[in-house]
Each structure stands twice: as C-alpha cells, then as structure tokens.
Amino acid sequence: MYIPSFNKFENQQAAVAFMQRYSFATIVTVKDGLPVATHLPFLVEEKDGVVTLKSHFARANPQAADSIDTRVLVIFTEPHAYISPKHYEKVESVPTWNYLAVHAYGTLKLLEGEERKAALLKATIQNFEAEYLKQWESLPDQYKQNMMKGITAFEIVVDDLQAKAKLSQNRSEIERKNIIAELDHSENTAESETAEYMKSLKA
C-alpha cells in the first residue's frame, strides 16, 4: 500500500487497536492470477509484539481450501469521508478523501481438530456477543459438532503490517479545523468517526 511518511500510523499498537475496532475485514488471495476475496469477522490479538488474526471460512467456500499454507492479505478499513475543497484556504484546491486502512500479510494456517475449532468459536462469541455464549453452550453437542464440520478455522501470524491514516496531515491547522468541524457534526457515522480520528492526532 502506498503510504507517504506523514500518513503512517503512529505505532503498531494504534494499528492493532484500529483492526480490533473494525474487525470485519476482507481476506484476499490469488488463484491462477485472479484475486479472490471473502469478507469475514476477525479476532485480532497482539502478544509480545506478534500480531495474530483468527477467523473461519465456510468449508464450502473454494477460497478456504485454496488458502491453506499460502500467503494472504487481510484488509481492515472502515471510516472514510469526502473532503471538499471549500475547507481550504487557497482557491487552487481539489477534492480528496480521508480514510484509514490497515493491510496485514501473513501465511494462513489451519486450526485443526474439534478442540481448536471450539475454542475459536467460543472466543469469537465472547468478542462479538458474550451474552450468546450461555445459549451456545446449552445447544446439543451433535448440533455444535455439525456446525463445526461446516467451517474451516484458521490463523494468520502477521509478518508485514502496513497501516495508513490519510487525515489531512499535510493541510494547515485552519483547514484541518474546518474539516473536523463539518465532519464532527455529520449524521453519517463514517464521517463523524473520521473526525474522531483527526482530532486524536498529535498537534
């Protein structure tokens, strides 16, 4: 991903926090020269500086079998906003777009065995809807086993993390304040969240 120096995330912890907040991501692989993508919820963990991603495909998804032991790209992106040149001090200005994105690369490895699949599903439930865990655990074992047979669980140890925050860092303080003022009051969640990230940047 093209990342000018002034658009880089502050550090890996900030990138991981972004990935955890916007964890419904896109996993991209290549087969026979053709990019293939699936949209999945991910568990994002960092331990001792190592970032790990975990999720699962539907077993029927051809990308599941094709991805095993291959290098993959997972794209995390969410808040973004159109930026009008009306916010700029010079007439010689053009529109642009503010956004944040993280690209995570690594090799996809299977999480094999019922115990590892069950642990992944439990962790996924706890992350996205902890209240559902009691209901899940009360379901018949045969039902849960059949559900697990229908998925391909995997993990990716990230070996290349590219994080970009294009948030008008190259504009003047007045221009940035103009942009934040408009986005901050927008009813569009993506725009107001973009303003939130702009305000969080160090002066």
Side-chain angles (χ1 to χ4, degrees), residues 3-17:
I3 310 177
S5 59
F6 56 84
N7 290 143
K8 288 184 179 181
F9 265 64
E10 183 179 346
N11 52 48
Q12 179 168 291
Q13 287 70 38
V16 169

Side-chain angles (χ1 to χ4, degrees), residues 122-182:
K122 182 176 180 179
T124 301
I125 292 169
Q126 288 176 321
N127 187 69
F128 292 102
E129 189 185 7
E131 295 82 2
Y132 173 68
L133 185 59
K134 184 176 181 180
Q135 179 179 333
W136 167 255
E137 292 180 336
S138 71
L139 296 175
D141 288 340
Q142 188 60 52
Y143 175 83
K144 290 187 287 187
Q145 290 169 2
N146 288 339
M147 293 296 292
M148 286 190 285
K149 288 178 182 178
I151 68 172
T152 298
F154 65 87
E155 69 176 0
I156 302 162
V157 176
V158 177
D159 57 39
D160 184 8
L161 193 63
Q162 303 176 11
K164 181 175 184 176
K166 183 180 178 295
L167 299 173
S168 301
Q169 293 99 321
N170 60 328
R171 308 308 306 191
S172 71
E173 183 177 355
I174 291 175
E175 292 170 335
R176 286 176 46 77
K177 286 182 177 178
N178 291 341
I179 295 168
I180 291 172
E182 177 162 305

Side-chain angles (χ1 to χ4, degrees), residues 97-115:
W97 215 275
N98 277 5
Y99 65 92
L100 301 95
V102 175
H103 289 191
Y105 293 86
T107 300
L108 186 147
K109 297 291 184 180
L110 283 181
L111 292 175
E112 299 185 84
E114 189 173 302
E115 287 188 8

Side-chain angles (χ1 to χ4, degrees), residues 31 59 73 80 87 95 116 153 166 177 181 185 193-194:
K31 182 179 181 181
R59 184 175 292 276
L73 163 64
H80 55 84
H87 300 301
R116 299 185 79 185
K166 183 180 178 295
K177 286 182 177 178
H185 294 92
E193 290 181 1
T194 300

